[in-house]
Amino acid sequence: MEERLLAIREAGFNTFLLKADDVFLDMLTDSGVNAMTVEQLAGMVSAQDAYAGSNTYEELARAVEEVLGFKYTLPVHQGRAAEHLIARTLVRQGSFVVTNFHFTTTRAHVELAGGVLVELPIPEALDASSEHPFKGNMDTVRLEEFLARNHERTAFVRVEALANLLGGQPVSMENIKLVKEICERYGVPLVIDGSMIDWNSYFVKERELGSWPLGKIIKEFASHADVFYMSARKAGSVRGGLLATNNRELYEKIAVLLPVFEGFLSYGGMSVKEIAALAMGLRQLTEEELIGSEIELIRYGVRELDKAGVPVVKPPGGLGIHVDALKFLENVPRNRYPAGALTAAFYIASGIRGMERGAISNDRLPDGREEYPALELMRLAFPRKTYLRSHVEYLVDRLVWLYENRDVVKGLEWVYEPPVLRFFLGRLRDVGNWSQTLADKYRREFGER
Ligand code: F0G
């Protein structure tokens, strides 16, 4: 306990700054920490290491064509690199980019390129307790209205398949089809962020297209994109990322930027070994049992937490368990960052490292004011093929304990606040030294461990 208390203080109450050695269960993210399959590991051994013209790249391009349906594939060093190249190619000063919901790095790249991000989620998405089956859907009525007025200034529409910051909530096939129809009517390209298309497709199968195999759902969903990209650190279960399209003109525009920012066309900043693992990872996206196992664990955890009265995002989505910090810490005001305080407190109480997904993850407006997001969440992510039910039982046990002792937790205030993506490197302190009180309470019940 003493060590965890010291560690979180040294980390400025920011779980990004904890050392992995000080963490018991690392649920910060599923990014770059998924276990690989034996087939992926085998592929890495036989990858063809060549700067240009490697047949491992060709295997990747074949996997992209067969699984996702795109003729042109550009590897990039990770998802945000794809966002950078897309923004650089399509966004002009003052352009709009319309999205179902932002991701942190997407917003940063759109804004750095001079664009303005417009979010059009359905209203249910911002209500943590709404049981809508597709809370990741875009509000197509508002999209139509927006494009009718602004299509000339709109660089692209972006749909995130499994909306990360909404709590891993899926987008339906019906919705992506409608969004595509509207985009076509106004001549605006549709970009799909497919970083978690596997989990999204699992929900589509479960709730919409039960008789379709997962592979068919993935390919059909992706077929709506003019440009498709993904962080391969998540669903691909490796490192890196990729960008794919059937539009030759767009491909050529982006391809010329690749050697400047990423690397040659056949490796794009990744190692050839990772490209081999990614090619196999893409093929394995269609394996239902593999893709569904974390969703089932998340569901189990959410059910148990819900039974104990802990406020969680419902219905359970992909990616992780999302705890509603606004309800959990009702007495902590928004300018004291409830989700950040909850995430730090939960680390003290469990050794589990989660991630703040609330106001701290949202940078300030250009005039310095805070823009508080509708959702203030603690995310406990499930890396693929890593955790078991007993881990979830431990998580539930400690989170229920923390909920019973929640009055101890006050908020956080800034010590060092970086100007952009402040959640990565920012440092805070606990208002009124509540971490000590929490640790003392913990010790009385559980001892020193
Ligand atoms: N898009 C989505 C939907 C993501 O979840 C991420 C990363 C990115 C883009 C950026 O990709 O990290 O490879 O540059 N999500 C990670 C997470 C970081 O923890 O949710 P990247």
Side-chain angles (χ1 to χ4, degrees), residues 91-358:
V91 174
R92 301 282 161 267
Q93 196 62 39
S95 298
F96 293 120
V97 170
V98 186
T99 183
N100 53 341
F101 211 65
H102 78 283
F103 185 67
T104 51
T105 54
T106 324
R107 169 175 278 166
H109 280 295
V110 167
E111 289 177 355
L112 284 170
V116 178
L117 202 73
V118 179
E119 293 177 307
L120 300 180
I122 57 169
E124 291 88 341
L126 303 178
D127 171 1
S129 61
S130 158
E131 294 274 358
H132 192 289
F134 289 105
K135 284 163 91 173
N137 281 356
M138 186 175 269
D139 186 331
T140 47
V141 174
R142 285 198 293 156
L143 176 66
E144 172 90 52
E145 281 168 15
F146 187 87
L147 291 186
R149 277 181 286 117
N150 301 299
H151 62 97
E152 280 169 6
R153 259 183 75 188
T154 302
F156 59 90
V157 170
R158 168 186 177 273
V159 171
E160 194 173 292
L162 206 86
N164 188 325
L165 298 184
L166 292 175
Q169 298 294 324
V171 177
S172 71
M173 191 72 86
E174 187 190 14
N175 189 253
I176 195 74
K177 207 168 148 203
L178 248 165
V179 168
K180 175 67 175 174
E181 275 170 27
I182 297 169
C183 287
E184 273 185 342
R185 208 170 316 133
Y186 292 100
V188 175
L190 175 58
V191 174
I192 293 182
D193 177 340
S195 303
M196 294 178 283
I197 194 167
D198 55 339
W199 281 336
N200 195 82
S201 303
Y202 191 86
F203 286 114
V204 168
K205 180 170 174 62
E206 205 172 66
R207 297 173 187 172
E208 196 183 13
L209 295 168
S211 62
W212 287 33
L214 203 58
K216 184 173 170 188
I217 295 175
I218 291 176
K219 201 165 184 180
E220 172 73 13
F221 199 97
S223 75
H224 298 91
D226 294 290
V227 179
F228 179 96
Y229 76 93
M230 64 191 285
S231 164
R233 301 171 60 86
K234 295 165 87 82
S237 294
V238 275
R239 312 291 178 268
L242 64 83
L243 226 151
T245 180
N246 283 322
N247 181 321
R248 187 160 181 95
E249 201 187 325
L250 269 173
Y251 164 75
E252 283 173 355
K253 275 194 190 154
I254 299 174
V256 294
L257 298 174
L258 209 69
V260 181
F261 293 105
E262 297 297 307
F264 196 60
L265 302 189
S266 53
Y267 72 94
M270 277 194 260
S271 82
V272 179
K273 288 188 168 35
E274 283 157 356
I275 292 181
L278 172 55
M280 181 51 73
L282 286 178
R283 294 193 184 279
Q284 292 182 326
L285 288 188
T286 60
E287 293 182 18
E288 275 162 40
E289 281 167 25
L290 206 59
I291 302 309
S293 59
E294 290 77 35
I295 292 182
E296 299 305 333
L297 280 179
I298 292 166
R299 229 170 243 173
Y300 166 70
V302 167
R303 199 170 53 232
E304 293 303 305
L305 290 166
D306 193 36
K307 266 197 248 163
V310 178
V312 273
V313 173
K314 288 189 286 181
L319 181 55
I321 293 174
H322 293 79
V323 183
D324 182 352
L326 284 182
K327 289 222 181 86
F328 198 109
L329 295 180
E330 255 170 355
N331 297 327
V332 174
R334 306 229 45 188
N335 65 358
R336 290 286 176 260
Y337 308 112
L342 173 57
T343 308
F346 189 48
Y347 169 73
I348 295 171
S350 66
I352 298 178
R353 164 155 75 167
M355 189 190 284
E356 192 270 1
R357 295 277 79 163

